């Protein structure tokens, strides 16, 4: 059976620069089935879902629903839910957690502050504290968005859970169905495509050791797509795998060509030229699409380390 993911894989479509963009992720546990737009088509009160969408709009916060791998029965009883907030910007990356039996309390959050990396609002509204457990791996499994997420994502989540890998959750939507199984790892916010259990375990081990695994990496959600591709290109160019040391500090230009400046915590800088191309031949961008598309791709044209004189200029 041909799916958008199998076609994308067969065509070797590049995954770099395809991650969803979010400086801050807000995750709410919601058991039961999920619809296409899970915040308003699940067992979560749709009025609350719409209010949360409105509150987060334009703030840099992306809200997603999560659930434990396995059967998704929801008997409608009021229950204590897990809530996570994670900020992904290097130098201020953090992951906090809380529990609540009243998900409407999420509306008490200052979403603008949360998007800027201020975790105090999460503590004030929900009693959130720094997460002390293992990093999180969120596997997209929402088959109502795209069947690939169910066909490929749910078996991956189940395998990881069966292997007793800690920090595994199913999540509603990470974008890029054709790269399924797709996984987001927090707190640093790097996304992965065409993931398998071995890769996820390797990535989680890397996070615990302060390393970023770049194999299969789509990019960091802290940056827009050109910045994602540029940061990964610098990592490849200089062999840098340390977490939290590279930042996108400037992006000049507009589609289809950008010059992205990437800075290292040690003071080094690089100028990365990124060009937007089109993936050919046309392919299904999702299994539900009636027409074939030519999705944009981020091609790194050049990586050049900047001298002190160039920086001054």
């Amino acid at each position: 059976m041909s799916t958008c993911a199998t076609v994308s894989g067969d065509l070797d479509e590049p995954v770099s620069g395809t991650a969803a963009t979010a400086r801050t992720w807000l995750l709410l546990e919601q058991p039961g089935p999920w619809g296409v737009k899970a915040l308003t088509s699940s067992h979560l009160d749709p009025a609350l879902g719409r209010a949360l969408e409105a509150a987060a709009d334009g703030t840099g916060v992306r809200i997603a629903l999560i659930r434990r791998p396995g059967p998704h029965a929801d008997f409608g009883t009021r229950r204590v839910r897990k809530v996570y907030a994670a900020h992904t910007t290097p130098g201020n990356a953090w992951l906090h957690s809380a529990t609540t039996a009243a998900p409407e309390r999420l509306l008490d959050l200052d979403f603008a502050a949360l998007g800027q990396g201020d975790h105090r609002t999460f503590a004030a509204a929900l009693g959130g504290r720094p997460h002390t457990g293992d990093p999180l791996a969120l596997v997209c499994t929402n088959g109502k968005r795209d069947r690939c997420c169910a066909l490929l994502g749910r078996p991956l989540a189940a395998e990881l859970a069966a292997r007793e890998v800690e920090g595994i959750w199913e999540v509603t939507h990470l974008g890029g169905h054709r790269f399924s199984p797709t996984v987001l790892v927090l707190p640093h916010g790097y996304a992965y495509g065409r993931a398998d259990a071995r890769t996820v375990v390797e990535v989680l081990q890397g996070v615990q050791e302060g390393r970023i695994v770049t194999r299969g990496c789509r990019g960091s959600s802290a940056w827009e797509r050109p910045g994602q591709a540029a940061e990964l290109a610098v990592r490849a160019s200089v062999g840098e795998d340390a977490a939290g040391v590279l930042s996108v500090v400037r992006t000049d230009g507009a589609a289809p060509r950008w010059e992205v400046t990437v800075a290292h915590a040690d003071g080094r800088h690089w100028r990365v030229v990124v060009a937007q191309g089109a993936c050919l031949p046309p392919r299904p961008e999702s299994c539900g699409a009636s027409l074939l598309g030519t999705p944009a791709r981020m091609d790194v044209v050049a990586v050049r380390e900047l001298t002190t004189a160039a920086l001054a200029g």
Side-chain angles (χ1 to χ4, degrees):
M1 176 177 59
S2 179
T3 65
C4 66
T6 57
V7 173
S8 175
D10 289 344
L11 293 175
D12 198 24
E13 182 178 347
V15 302
S16 174
T18 66
T21 300
R23 292 191 305 270
T24 301
W25 291 85
L26 181 62
L27 310 171
L28 171 64
E29 184 179 3
Q30 176 58 58
W34 298 331
V36 175
K37 295 183 177 180
L39 277 179
T40 54
S41 55
S42 68
H43 287 186
L44 183 70
D45 179 358
L48 173 58
R50 286 189 292 271
L52 288 170
E53 286 179 334
D57 186 40
T59 66
V61 177
R62 182 165 175 145
I63 306 173
L65 303 182
I66 57 174
R67 64 192 178 195
R68 294 292 188 184
H72 300 136
D74 179 13
F75 301 105
T77 56
R78 196 168 181 87
R79 54 172 290 173
V80 174
R81 306 160 185 250
K82 198 75 174 179
V83 187
Y84 293 100
H87 189 65
T88 61
T89 303
N92 187 35
W94 49 260
L95 173 61
H96 287 208
S97 64
T99 57
T100 184
E104 60 273 14
R105 291 180 58 193
L106 273 65
L107 292 174
D108 295 332
L109 291 166
D110 181 338
F111 281 84
L114 198 62
Q116 292 299 319
D118 187 347
H119 53 71
R120 291 175 296 179
T121 181
F122 191 67
L126 296 165
R129 296 178 177 273
H131 176 65
T132 57
D134 293 313
L136 305 184
L138 313 174
V139 183
C140 185
T141 63
N142 190 354
K144 293 294 178 66
R145 291 286 301 214
D146 191 283
R147 62 177 175 170
C148 286
C149 300
L151 292 173
L152 301 173
R154 289 196 65 187
L156 174 59
E159 179 181 355
L160 291 165
R163 292 172 60 170
E164 299 184 342
V165 178
E166 297 294 330
I168 306 301
W169 292 86
E170 298 185 10
V171 68
T172 47
H173 183 49
L174 297 177
H177 321 292
R178 63 191 183 279
F179 303 120
S180 295
T182 60
V183 180
L184 175 71
V185 177
L186 297 174
H188 298 297
Y190 286 84
Y192 294 82
R194 305 188 187 114
D196 55 27
R198 186 184 70 172
T199 298
V200 175
V201 171
E202 180 185 352
V203 169
L204 291 173
Q205 180 65 36
V207 172
Q208 291 178 323
E209 296 172 356
R211 297 183 294 104
I212 300 300
V213 172
T214 57
R215 180 167 57 89
C217 189
R218 300 174 61 190
S220 166
S221 74
W223 319 123
E224 299 292 336
R225 292 187 62 184
Q228 294 172 13
E231 190 233 13
L232 289 176
V234 170
R235 287 188 178 277
S237 176
V238 301
E240 180 61 81
D241 67 355
V245 298
L246 293 179
S247 295
V248 174
V249 296
R250 180 169 176 171
T251 301
D252 296 308
R257 190 178 179 89
W258 301 266
E259 289 192 355
V260 181
T261 304
V262 178
H264 196 288
D266 65 10
R268 287 178 292 166
H269 288 71
W270 294 265
R271 182 72 43 78
V272 184
V273 179
V274 180
Q276 178 176 299
C279 291
L280 295 171
R283 76 282 313 274
E285 296 189 52
S286 69
C287 288
S290 58
L291 299 175
L292 300 182
T294 54
R297 55 183 288 169
M298 297 291 116
D299 294 321
V300 173
V301 177
V303 179
R304 178 171 64 91
E305 186 170 356
L306 299 178
T307 63
T308 303
L311 285 171

